[in-house]
Amino acid sequence: MIPGANPIPILALFYLLHSSEETCPSMCLCTSDTVSCSSSGLTKLPKFLPKFFVTLDLNHNHISWLGAGSFSRMSRLENLRMAHNQMTSLTYGLFQNASSIRYLDLSSNKLQVVEQHYFQGLWRMEELMLFNNKITQVEAGTLSGLSSLKKAYFSLNQLTNFPFFSIQDHSHPFLTMLDLSSNRMTRLPWEDLKALPSLVQRGLFLHNNSLICDCSMYSVFWHWDLRGYDTLRDFTEEHICSIYGDPRASIQFLRHTRFFNNCTVEGAVSQPVTVLLSKVLVTEGQRVRLDCQTSLSGANLSYAWLTPKQGVITQYNINDTLMSMSANGTLEMQAAKVNDSGLYVCTAVDSIQVLNATREINVTVLLPAAESFNTGYTTLLGCVVTMILILVYLYLTPCRCSCCKQPKPPVIPVGACDPGNLTSVFSPCTADQHKIHGNKHVAFMQPMLSEEGLEWTSES
Ligand SMILES: *[C@@H]1O[C@H](CO)[C@@H](O)[C@H](O)[C@H]1NC(C)=O
Ligand SMILES: *[C@@H]1O[C@H](CO)[C@@H](O)[C@H](O)[C@H]1NC(C)=O
Ligand SMILES: *[C@@H]1O[C@H](CO)[C@@H](O)[C@H](O)[C@H]1NC(C)=O
Ligand SMILES: *[C@@H]1O[C@H](CO)[C@@H](O)[C@H](O)[C@H]1NC(C)=O
Ligand SMILES: *[C@@H]1O[C@H](CO)[C@@H](O)[C@H](O)[C@H]1NC(C)=O
Ligand SMILES: *[C@@H]1O[C@H](CO)[C@@H](O)[C@H](O)[C@H]1NC(C)=O
Ligand SMILES: *[C@@H]1O[C@H](CO)[C@@H](O)[C@H](O)[C@H]1NC(C)=O
Ligand SMILES: *[C@@H]1O[C@H](CO)[C@@H](O)[C@H](O)[C@H]1NC(C)=O
């Protein structure tokens, strides 16, 4: 047959190829930017999908395997939902050329080992859902390169460990939630957990695991509890550990702390043991409050502070107009002076149980340096320049669209309200920041204690 002699099949083929790119598979529903093929009995990806879409919903199907580069032609794919399928592993290169993905839901599948290569290249990914699989291991490099990650869900799996060390400030600057609850962790590398960025620590869920009660574990949770993290508050009862690893002897360790009494006194009552050393950094003239929060609690405690300037201070011998101490042990300085800097050691004594525990706070009072003014000045200048640029943008940019969209409100630079460098210049900032954290359970030092101000020490 002479090519082209019968144009109809060729035309039909052309039509088919062309239209297949545009039309919606019969089992799916397609809207402007969404293709929904949920609960469609699919065992593999539909062969032809519309060209451009942002969301692909494949939830509740029977997909057990996908080939390399399955999503590579979906250049705008941001949300990939594949919950409730049958995936046991992911092919090498599955997400090749799919780096537009920002939200990936693989929950309720049958994944077993999360291999290092699984999410390689997904540097825009913000949310990763892997809960309710059969995951026993997450390989060390899995999260590396996922620099946009904000939330990662690994709960309801069979994990006994997790590569905490692979998460650092610079590697995952936006990570604020790591859910490892309802797994099978018994012991964790607590030193690695203490080294996690504070935002990750704040958003780390570890309840309903199989933790074994011991002092190193307790000391980590004790710190988090002290800082009032919601991750602990919201699941107080689900924080359980088993005594000597015996699951029948489980205690809710945030409620019942008696088992850990020996952690701070190490069995030797006569030896006061430092619970923690924290650091406080203030500028001269600020009000400072130091809480004497130790492992001891109860009504019959008495407190004493050893201060660098005045020696031992108790509620009764205090002789300083600028300093006061309340019955609960809180020491308050009305206006800190540079020469107030130094180590403050508080001892709480329980005279009935003959126990005492100490807490050390390293206070550094800085002169309100010219530098902080400069920072404030620079920020102010930055604001002015930004405003000018916005005005220039508003009035000089030719308005192309007919509707003339409202410009977004200018974003206020985060630094502008950072109490760390501006307290002395714009005190309202401090007040606002303060309100935001107003319901924090314990604040060591009211005006400007940042979370980084609390330092870990190992119990000795
Ligand atoms: C990925 O993209 C590159 C260049 O954009 C291309 O050369 C390569 O063939 C693509 N890979 C797949 C599996 O589509
Ligand atoms: C605790 O974890 C187990 C599996 O490890 C799960 O079956 C159970 O539902 C979880 N309980 C809660 C309260 O989350
Ligand atoms: C704490 O120490 C006391 C005295 O050494 C001991 O009798 C007690 O069993 C210890 N408690 C725990 C929970 O280990
Ligand atoms: C702590 O307790 C021990 C023994 O009870 C006692 O000798 C010591 O003086 C106490 N320390 C303080 C600062 O009260
Ligand atoms: C308080 O200190 C002043 C001098 O610093 C001293 O004269 C006075 O006696 C002290 N009062 C008490 C109650 O210790
Ligand atoms: C101690 O009491 C003072 C007021 O007397 C209060 O401001 C402070 O928050 C209390 N500290 C603690 C830890 O309860
Ligand atoms: C600490 O500094 C203040 C002024 O900043 C001064 O009045 C006071 O005498 C100093 N105290 C000591 C013990 O040096
Ligand atoms: C307290 O902190 C300052 C500054 O960070 C440091 O130079 C000093 O050595 C610390 N003191 C103690 C006792 O840790």
Side-chain angles (χ1 to χ4, degrees):
M1 196 195 282
I2 307 154
N6 189 355
I8 294 157
I10 292 170
L11 229 139
L13 187 69
F14 178 79
Y15 177 76
L16 240 169
L17 272 177
H18 185 74
S19 67
S20 62
E21 293 272 313
E22 314 280 312
T23 55
C24 192
S26 58
M27 67 294 253
C28 307
L29 296 171
C30 305
T31 66
S32 53
D33 66 353
T34 300
V35 176
S36 170
C37 314
S38 61
S39 308
S40 304
L42 293 174
T43 54
K44 52 186 181 175
L45 275 187
K47 210 166 200 156
F48 300 112
L49 285 168
K51 215 167 190 170
F52 304 115
F53 52 87
V54 173
T55 300
L56 177 58
D57 185 352
L58 298 167
N59 286 345
H60 293 281
N61 280 295
H62 307 298
I63 300 172
S64 59
W65 187 85
L66 289 171
S70 284
F71 305 99
S72 63
R73 291 197 306 157
M74 306 175 187
S75 58
R76 295 198 188 150
L77 179 60
E78 289 183 14
N79 307 318
L80 178 55
R81 303 171 200 267
M82 287 190 61
H84 295 279
N85 274 281
Q86 308 287 324
M87 304 292 287
T88 52
S89 66
L90 306 186
T91 316
Y92 201 90
L94 173 59
F95 295 116
Q96 215 169 17
N97 291 13
S99 66
S100 53
I101 290 179
R102 297 199 297 149
Y103 174 101
L104 177 58
D105 188 354
L106 282 163
S107 63
S108 302
N109 274 271
K110 295 183 170 161
L111 296 173
Q112 287 158 2
V113 175
V114 180
E115 293 170 38
Q116 190 155 335
H117 65 81
Y118 275 13
F119 310 116
Q120 254 172 29
L122 299 185
W123 60 273
R124 287 195 187 94
M125 183 154 66
E126 294 172 15
E127 278 187 45
L128 174 61
M129 311 245 178
L130 289 170
F131 56 84
N132 196 28
N133 275 275
K134 306 238 177 296
I135 301 171
T136 54
Q137 192 197 342
V138 174
E139 287 187 353
T142 301
L143 298 183
S144 60
L146 306 184
S147 52
S148 304
L149 199 59
K150 292 179 179 166
K151 298 182 174 186
Y153 298 82
F154 290 91
S155 62
L156 291 162
N157 278 295
Q158 294 156 22
L159 289 171
T160 53
N161 207 340
F162 190 83
F164 294 103
F165 60 86
S166 66
I167 297 172
Q168 275 149 22
D169 253 331
H170 59 272
S171 66
H172 298 88
F174 308 110
L175 189 61
T176 54
M177 137 95 90
L178 178 58
D179 186 356
L180 293 166
S181 61
S182 301
N183 273 283
R184 297 192 182 161
M185 317 235 182
T186 52
R187 294 184 193 281
L188 288 174
W190 298 111
E191 290 307 315
D192 292 351
L193 272 89
K194 292 185 211 170
L196 284 172
S198 50
L199 278 179
V200 180
Q201 290 189 36
R202 179 177 279 277
L204 181 61
F205 291 82
L206 283 171
H207 59 276
N208 194 23
N209 269 282
S210 332
L211 296 172
I212 294 173
C213 307
D214 66 23
C215 288
S216 48
M217 178 215 92
Y218 183 68
S219 122
V220 172
F221 282 96
W222 187 86
H223 277 86
W224 288 339
D225 200 24
L226 195 67
R227 295 178 196 177
Y229 289 177
D230 288 340
T231 50
L232 272 64
R233 287 290 138 80
D234 297 349
F235 298 96
T236 307
E237 270 120 61
E238 286 85 357
H239 278 86
I240 43 173
C241 68
S242 56
I243 296 171
Y244 309 123
D246 181 352
R248 286 165 305 172
S250 290
I251 54 175
Q252 296 176 342
F253 61 83
L254 294 178
R255 280 272 157 82
H256 308 289
T257 57
R258 214 170 41 157
F259 179 79
F260 303 97
N261 280 353
N262 289 8
C263 289
T264 44
V265 292
E266 308 264 44
V269 171
S270 57
Q271 287 265 287
V273 174
T274 300
V275 175
L276 81 164
L277 173 69
S278 40
K279 231 179 194 168
V280 163
L281 198 68
V282 286
T283 33
E284 196 171 56
Q286 276 188 317
R287 204 165 68 116
V288 177
R289 268 162 71 175
L290 305 174
D291 281 339
C292 185
Q293 198 82 26
T294 67
S295 55
L296 299 180
S297 61
N300 37 30
L301 293 179
S302 56
Y303 300 91
W305 282 93
L306 180 63
T307 66
K309 235 163 70 177
Q310 277 113 323
V312 175
I313 289 180
T314 64
Q315 220 190 324
Y316 309 105
N317 78 349
I318 195 158
N319 183 13
D320 190 328
T321 48
L322 289 176
M323 217 179 250
S324 62
M325 187 174 159
S326 25
N328 63 14
T330 300
L331 186 71
E332 183 161 342
M333 288 182 244
Q334 299 305 331
K337 298 267 171 352
V338 171
N339 59 18
D340 285 325
S341 297
L343 198 61
Y344 288 71
V345 182
C346 178
T347 307
V349 181
D350 182 335
S351 49
I352 293 174
Q353 291 190 60
V354 202
L355 294 173
N356 56 21
T358 64
R359 171 179 164 69
E360 298 179 10
I361 303 176
N362 184 352
V363 176
T364 308
V365 183
L366 298 172
L367 275 174
E371 208 181 345
S372 56
F373 176 73
N374 282 345
T375 319
Y377 182 71
T378 315
T379 313
L380 203 64
L381 196 69
C383 285
V384 171
V385 170
T386 312
M387 282 310 291
I388 290 173
L389 285 178
I390 289 170
L391 289 176
V392 166
Y393 172 81
L394 280 181
Y395 293 106
L396 295 189
T397 314
C399 205
R400 285 196 203 116
C401 59
S402 54
C403 50
C404 273
K405 282 181 201 153
Q406 280 289 107
K408 281 186 187 171
V411 176
I412 298 159
V414 176
C417 232
D418 181 354
N421 39 15
L422 274 176
T423 26
S424 56
V425 185
F426 302 126
S427 28
C429 280
T430 329
D432 284 343
Q433 294 262 324
H434 198 66
K435 253 176 242 157
I436 292 166
H437 300 290
N439 53 2
K440 249 190 198 172
H441 206 65
V442 172
F444 294 136
M445 195 280 300
Q446 292 294 338
M448 52 168 299
L449 174 59
S450 68
E451 222 153 76
E452 287 69 27
L454 300 175
E455 283 225 325
W456 294 96
T457 47
S458 50
E459 292 176 10
S460 53

